[in-house]
Amino acid sequence: MSCTVGRSYIVKPGNTPSKIAQEQLGDANRWREIKKPDGSSLTDHDASNLPVGQELCIPNGSVTLPGGNGFASIISSETYEAMFPNRNALYAYDSLVTATQKYPQFCNEGSDEQRKQEAAAFLANIAHETTGGWDAAPGGRFAWGLHFIEEQNPTSQYCDASNTTYPCASGRSYHGRGPIQLSWNYNYGQMGEVLGADLLNNPDLVKSDGVIAFQTALWFWMTSQPPKPSCHAVMTGGWTPSPDDASKGRAPGFGMTINIINGGLECSIPTNDKVRDRVGFYERFTQMLGVNMGEIIFCENMAHY
């Protein structure tokens, strides 16, 4: 079979849809424009299992996907590899790019500076949540982001038995998994409804399916949980502090994402090593993207929720 639309391309060893799109179309984010010879689109399963020798069809012209920018236009696969040289295989670049398709506003709102800051802030926080250790080389601690795929030595099954909407399944533990360390049965249940996956009965999907793993992190990042705004809103100008927020020191910026994620464990107290680690990743990643860190980087003067 040969392409009826577009030009033929034969998959080579090491190819991924994003790499092919970057090479052939100049934009890794356009990989969903690549078709099979019968004209159908690649499914997420196809994208994760490209056999060497398969024929694909590369579109002609320079039509860009709706939305234009997005995460993959800010973070290339090469930049991602440089950020996370020792990442676990679960956290593949293509899995993250695929996961972002469910949240098209991610890294796609605000100014160019804000979009880059959001990408750096998201990656900094998940890097901290999954850091596996320290490298002896100068600055080496930053080599270990996206290392752990689940909480180490959990002391609880994180089952809220009083929650009847998302009841715990027998024999299942809802300890932290994935890049944002999704925890508790009610979060697994709500996330499962969003994704159409039974995470209450199969919580290990968050540590075995890279797309699902990143989607859990993006869901948390993009979804407000009143009275908390979303991390996305505070990084892209979509949140204006109320008078009560302002009186409690809450303001847009990276520090506010820490407050949303970990509240009183890291904010409204003297800056601890966990906060310094998050800020260290953020500083490194903003430097790599050629953008400043913005204002309100820390959260010691913010009241937690």
Side-chain angles (χ1 to χ4, degrees):
M1 184 180 291
S2 59
C3 298
T4 57
V5 177
R7 62 186 187 278
S8 179
Y9 181 91
I10 305 301
V11 175
K12 303 177 180 65
N15 273 166
T16 64
S18 293
K19 288 181 179 179
I20 294 171
Q22 184 66 46
E23 173 191 320
Q24 299 292 316
L25 300 172
D27 184 351
N29 203 36
R30 295 180 62 189
W31 71 267
R32 287 188 179 274
E33 296 180 55
I34 298 172
K35 305 293 185 183
K36 300 177 187 178
D38 64 3
S40 63
S41 299
L42 295 172
T43 66
D44 290 344
H45 180 268
D46 293 332
S48 300
N49 298 275
L50 284 183
V52 174
Q54 177 181 348
E55 182 183 22
L56 298 175
C57 302
I58 310 298
N60 295 315
S62 58
V63 177
T64 303
L65 288 173
N69 297 307
F71 177 81
S73 69
I74 296 170
I75 307 291
S76 68
S77 60
E78 291 77 15
T79 299
Y80 185 77
E81 293 296 333
M83 289 174 164
F84 303 108
N86 297 307
R87 61 173 175 73
N88 187 283
L90 177 73
Y91 301 124
Y93 175 76
D94 284 344
S95 293
L96 176 50
V97 170
T98 299
T100 65
Q101 305 305 314
K102 190 172 182 66
Y103 299 94
Q105 293 176 315
F106 177 63
C107 294
N108 227 359
E109 293 189 314
S111 65
D112 181 64
E113 179 179 68
Q114 288 173 320
R115 290 193 293 271
K116 290 179 179 179
Q117 287 171 342
E118 180 180 19
F122 173 78
L123 294 175
N125 278 302
I126 65 173
H128 167 76
E129 295 290 338
T130 56
T131 295
W134 295 77
D135 191 316
R141 66 194 176 108
F142 300 124
W144 292 102
L146 296 184
H147 179 78
F148 287 132
I149 62 174
E150 65 181 323
E151 183 179 348
Q152 300 299 290
N153 304 312
T155 58
S156 168
Q157 290 188 325
Y158 294 89
C159 171
D160 179 1
S162 68
N163 190 298
T164 56
T165 304
Y166 302 112
C168 304
S170 177
R172 298 293 186 266
S173 171
Y174 301 98
H175 61 269
R177 296 176 178 85
I180 205 69
Q181 294 291 282
L182 187 71
S183 305
W184 295 100
N185 51 304
Y186 45 81
N187 283 326
Y188 277 86
Q190 187 177 356
M191 186 70 253
E193 285 186 350
V194 171
L195 297 181
D198 187 3
L199 297 185
L200 277 177
N201 286 300
N202 300 286
D204 279 345
L205 284 174
V206 181
K207 70 171 187 177
S208 62
D209 186 310
V211 174
I212 287 178
F214 278 122
Q215 284 177 337
T216 65
L218 286 165
W219 167 76
F220 183 92
W221 187 265
M222 300 295 295
T223 306
S224 62
Q225 299 182 47
K228 298 179 183 181
S230 70
C231 293
H232 169 74
V234 305
M235 290 303 300
T236 59
W239 174 66
T240 300
S242 68
D244 181 62
D245 285 319
S247 71
K248 294 176 178 176
R250 298 171 186 149
F254 184 73
M256 188 62 185
T257 70
I258 303 174
N259 198 353
I260 292 169
I261 292 170
N262 230 12
L265 295 177
E266 298 183 28
C267 299
S268 64
I269 58 176
T271 298
N272 59 30
D273 287 342
K274 292 180 180 179
V275 173
R276 293 188 189 96
D277 197 54
R278 292 184 196 271
V279 172
F281 276 114
Y282 182 57
E283 181 177 24
R284 176 174 170 80
F285 294 162
T286 51
Q287 288 175 349
M288 293 177 75
L289 297 179
V291 66
N292 68 68
M293 298 172 72
E295 299 180 355
I296 318 298
I297 306 304
F298 294 89
C299 61
E300 73 275 14
N301 295 319
M302 290 184 190
H304 63 272
Y305 288 96

